[in-house]
Amino acid sequence: MKKKQIKSNAQSIVSVLLTGKSLRSRQIADTVLEKEGKELKIQDVASMLAKISNTKRSDLGFFIQRIKEGNSFTYKMVKEVLVLSEEKAYDLTLRIGKGRYTLEQALEDIPGLAKYVDASRIKTKSKTRSLAKKTEAVSKPVKAKPGPVPAAASQEKQQQTLEKAVAEVIKKKVAENLKGTDLNVTVTIKIEGPGE
């Protein structure tokens, strides 16, 4: 026979918030007592709500509306997130944990959530990796083919032309991945020929 797993206070609070109702700390504490028979102090509920609704401490915070009413706050989950299971919603309150449900997975599963999330917090691993690979491939040293050594002025002009061309290629490739970003690229190339 399986032992019933005891929920943490945060799990119990998340479970109540998933009803989609606007609730105060006292109402959440009362609901937890009624549903689980677990008594939570109102100040403990308020403290936990402050933590899980803070986007710097919890990704679930992006989807919790915190509204000041008089001297207290009411908390309500946005309607799009209510389709998540209690376990997945709770995982979004965690910062670490192997196999936990992440903000990126939630945004993939429920694209409508993206409008609530600060764009700087959305991680796109595949774009970052592909950008690094493309930049690395483009920025490898370019060696001129061996041949007769041109005059110094002609060689300097060739070098400047080549530097500009390589800088434009790098700038174009990187800009494709970072749309809307101003980018200045400076490239220095040393052309070596025989006898140098």
Side-chain angles (χ1 to χ4, degrees), residues 143-154:
K143 288 188 177 180
K145 291 182 180 176
V149 180
S154 174

Side-chain angles (χ1 to χ4, degrees), residues 35-46:
K35 284 174 72 176
E36 300 175 23
K38 180 164 64 171
E39 196 168 338
L40 298 178
K41 293 179 182 173
I42 295 167
Q43 63 265 30
D44 291 344
V45 173

